[in-house]
Amino acid sequence: MVSQPIHKTALVTGGNKGIGYAICQGLLNAGFDVFLAARDADQGRMAVESLSAESLSAEGKPARLIVLDVADDESIKAAASSVAQIAGSLNVLVNNAGIYPDGGVDILTVPREVLTQAMNTNAFSPLRMTQAFLPFLEKADSPKVINISSGNGQLEGISANVPSYSLSKLALNGATILLADSLRPKGIAVYAMCPGWVKTDMGGASAPRSPEEGADTAVWLATAAGMAESGNFFRDRTQQPY
Ligand code: NAP
């Protein structure tokens, strides 16, 4: 009897550009069926088209677009039902979408709206996404949640000059620990990672890393890490202190 290839599925938020796009590419190259989630349908469509010129899944399929604003619970619900219509399970959820809204403020001046926006997008959205996609993760083989955090979220890396971003990534790291503990009995691994300083719209032109280099640890966690690594923080495929 010929055994059927096992196709794994992954969903990457903020997949239309930057590190998220490179993670989609890396996961397609690793044989995953990829849901590229983008909040702007046109941007998402363009990303899917440009990806399919470069990378396809193991079955030769392009990434599929899911329109998703991670800061909007209704949008998350709609995205979950779109995924449900196509795939019964999800092996990997990559919470990559993020914002860096601290221009011109520091810890002494940052206004509430900026704090709220950063916390909502960078910390609460990955948590709400994990809650919403839990039924699909529970049905998958070796399910994983990968939270794209930052060195600014490590206790030694928080910066008064990027206050809302640092606090939001610190909170995301905390959510990673709590989710990993809660999901361990279900066999679902949860990781946080820093991609390094990456040349993207967020990282700017002076950053030393390419998006592909920034995506490398996420692809490694998706393909090679297991339950033993769950709950930990990584950079360059190496565990780091929170
Ligand atoms: P980027 O180029 O600015 O891309 C950010 C992505 O997040 C975009 O696709 C953006 O969508 C999406 N996004 C933002 N808010 C969203 C929302 N509410 N709903 C859905 N998507 C949303 O940034 P990047 O450098 O690739 O960053 C990706 C992740 O890596 C972020 O979590 C960031 O904090 C982290 N990181 C980056 C660096 C770095 O040096 N670049 C360093 C450490 C950590 P739109 O295109 O629609 O805006």
Side-chain angles (χ1 to χ4, degrees):
M1 197 174 108
V2 181
S3 64
Q4 294 295 311
I6 298 165
H7 288 293
K8 294 199 168 192
T9 51
L11 186 148
V12 182
T13 66
N16 54 296
K17 68 179 184 183
I19 297 166
Y21 180 89
I23 294 172
C24 289
Q25 191 169 39
L27 292 176
L28 281 166
N29 289 336
F32 281 80
D33 287 345
V34 172
F35 292 102
L36 182 157
R39 63 177 156 179
D40 182 283
D42 289 336
Q43 296 289 323
R45 221 170 280 122
M46 280 194 284
V48 165
E49 278 168 21
S50 122
L51 253 186
S52 60
E54 299 157 6
S55 308
L56 298 170
S57 74
E59 280 184 333
K61 286 188 279 185
R64 285 176 193 269
L65 173 63
I66 299 285
V67 178
L68 169 61
D69 180 340
V70 296
D72 176 349
D73 281 348
E74 285 305 312
S75 180
I76 292 178
K77 206 166 140 191
S81 57
S82 299
V83 169
Q85 284 167 18
I86 301 164
S89 63
L90 186 69
N91 297 86
V92 177
L93 169 63
V94 184
N95 288 311
N96 163 78
I99 55 169
Y100 188 85
D102 288 314
V105 297
D106 64 20
I107 193 66
L108 300 179
T109 58
V110 61
R112 182 182 291 273
E113 312 84 75
V114 172
L115 289 163
T116 304
Q117 207 192 357
M119 281 292 182
N120 200 26
T121 302
N122 293 351
F124 304 152
S125 295
L127 179 53
R128 295 292 288 157
M129 280 293 295
T130 306
Q131 292 170 346
F133 282 84
L134 198 49
F136 308 109
L137 292 163
E138 281 174 328
K139 289 186 195 130
D141 199 29
S142 308
K144 299 166 182 185
V145 177
I146 301 169
N147 292 326
I148 309 301
S149 184
S150 166
N152 281 135
Q154 286 177 280
L155 285 172
E156 288 194 355
I158 50 174
S159 164
N161 294 323
V162 276
S164 78
Y165 185 75
S166 293
L167 291 172
S168 67
K169 293 295 190 179
L170 190 63
L172 176 60
N173 288 350
T176 302
I177 295 168
L178 296 177
L179 284 169
D181 284 349
S182 299
L183 295 177
R184 190 175 299 280
K186 294 179 185 287
I188 301 173
V190 188
Y191 318 102
M193 58 153 281
C194 171
W197 185 21
V198 181
K199 213 183 296 280
T200 61
D201 286 351
M202 184 185 293
S206 309
R209 292 190 175 193
S210 67
E212 293 71 29
E213 288 170 313
D216 173 75
T217 295
V219 176
W220 173 75
L221 286 168
T223 53
M227 283 309 293
E229 288 84 19
S230 184
N232 291 309
F233 182 91
F234 293 85
R235 184 189 295 125
D236 294 334
R237 303 186 180 200
T238 306
Q239 192 182 325
Q240 305 274 325
Y242 271 113

